[in-house]
Amino acid sequence: MITPTAPFPAPRAAAAAAGLTVAIDIGGTKIAGALVHPDGTMTATTRRATPRGVDAEGVMAAVAEVVADLSGSPLWASAVRCGIGSAGPVDTSRGTVSPVNIGAWREFPVQARVAAELAARGAELPTVLAGDGVAMTAAEHWLGAARGHANALCMVVSTGVGGGLILNNQLHPGPTGNAGHIGHISVAFDGEPCVCGSRGCVESIASGTAIARWAREQGWTPAGTVNGGTGADGGSTSDHADHTNGAGKARDASAAGVAAAAAAGDPIALAAFDRAGRALAAAIAATATLVETDIAVIGGGVAASGDILFAPIRSHLAAYATLSFVKELRVVPASLGTHAGLIGAAAAAMMLLPSPPSS
């Protein structure tokens, strides 16, 4: 069903393209949709849980339901474009996605399929696909923490590490939509292998998964974990049963648990975040040196730990951003939170698609 939503609290009216934008945000847990106005307000928001245990068409059926919900809005006829933000990998040159967290979709032609659903509902609209990191970048530049910056790096630090670039006030997704994928910059040439096949990547050090894994490898255990318990990220905690409080309840063994321990002064947890912050600082400085960005905006679940993450990033940044044109580089938290997916899908469409002819 369509669920009404309050207007998005845009800092001020945005000088965006005219007309409504159909925004679709596809992730591993939910598929959301909205009609987004030129000032960033959202109406007709709707969502479905991302189906599990189904084939590719089963997942697409949920997307089709979201489009059907949106088409029931009295504003549907005012839509002039569509933006799709999706978990990746993506290939925007082909309009396909192979999300790590949606196993049923491999090289799935989501852009063409969404365009067909729109047309079936009477809306033959130009449609664009963006990876979630690029969409978040578009959102933060339009209405968030990167607003007013002509050159910016925006990042998502979560179970993976992704990102996107704004160069000369333009979204720069690259030929396949993967430009700015900072998670797979190598910052440790003799580091451990990364899932991408390279070695010493930022993601292998600074993702939430990597932070929690490294902390456990150094002997950290979440307080209160009982014998045979399982951490929040699936790691067995049975080898550390001596670190219990007898409560009989497993505690958080994810990066959030490490962050809580770091806030309480646990030395291993603090070291895990310092290591992650150093990797992020090195990659941020390298990116800024290459393309002269002056701000790095960081969102995602790990960024929610606040200064536990940002303090070591800023501390280490001074050692890497040493040239005169990057010394003023700022690192700030993202500001749009859960709105970033839909706002980003709309912002990417407005930035990457030509404006409709004026009536």
Side-chain angles (χ1 to χ4, degrees), residues 225-320:
T225 302
V226 297
N227 191 25
T230 301
D233 59 357
S236 172
T237 59
S238 59
D239 291 339
H240 308 289
D242 54 327
H243 292 271
T244 67
N245 62 7
K249 180 181 178 182
R251 298 292 179 88
D252 191 352
S254 70
V258 181
D266 184 286
I268 295 176
L270 286 166
F273 271 88
D274 185 74
R275 179 175 180 265
R278 184 178 182 185
L280 290 166
I284 290 167
T287 302
T289 302
L290 186 66
V291 295
E292 290 199 56
T293 53
D294 60 8
I295 191 169
V297 176
I298 305 179
V302 177
S305 59
D307 279 348
I308 296 298
L309 178 68
F310 284 91
I313 292 174
R314 292 167 178 150
S315 174
H316 287 295
L317 191 63
Y320 294 103

Side-chain angles (χ1 to χ4, degrees), residues 8 25 42 132 135-140 334-347:
F8 184 81
D25 177 28
M42 296 190 296
D132 52 6
M136 175 264 194
T137 299
E140 291 291 336
S335 64
L336 299 184
T338 57
H339 293 286
L342 286 170
I343 293 295

Side-chain angles (χ1 to χ4, degrees), residues 66-106:
V66 166
V67 174
D69 283 353
L70 297 178
S71 71
S73 167
L75 298 174
W76 179 249
S78 300
V80 297
R81 67 184 74 79
C82 175
I84 307 162
S86 176
V90 304
D91 184 344
T92 58
S93 67
R94 300 172 58 211
T96 61
V97 296
S98 303
V100 171
N101 49 10
I102 305 178
W105 277 6
R106 289 296 172 265

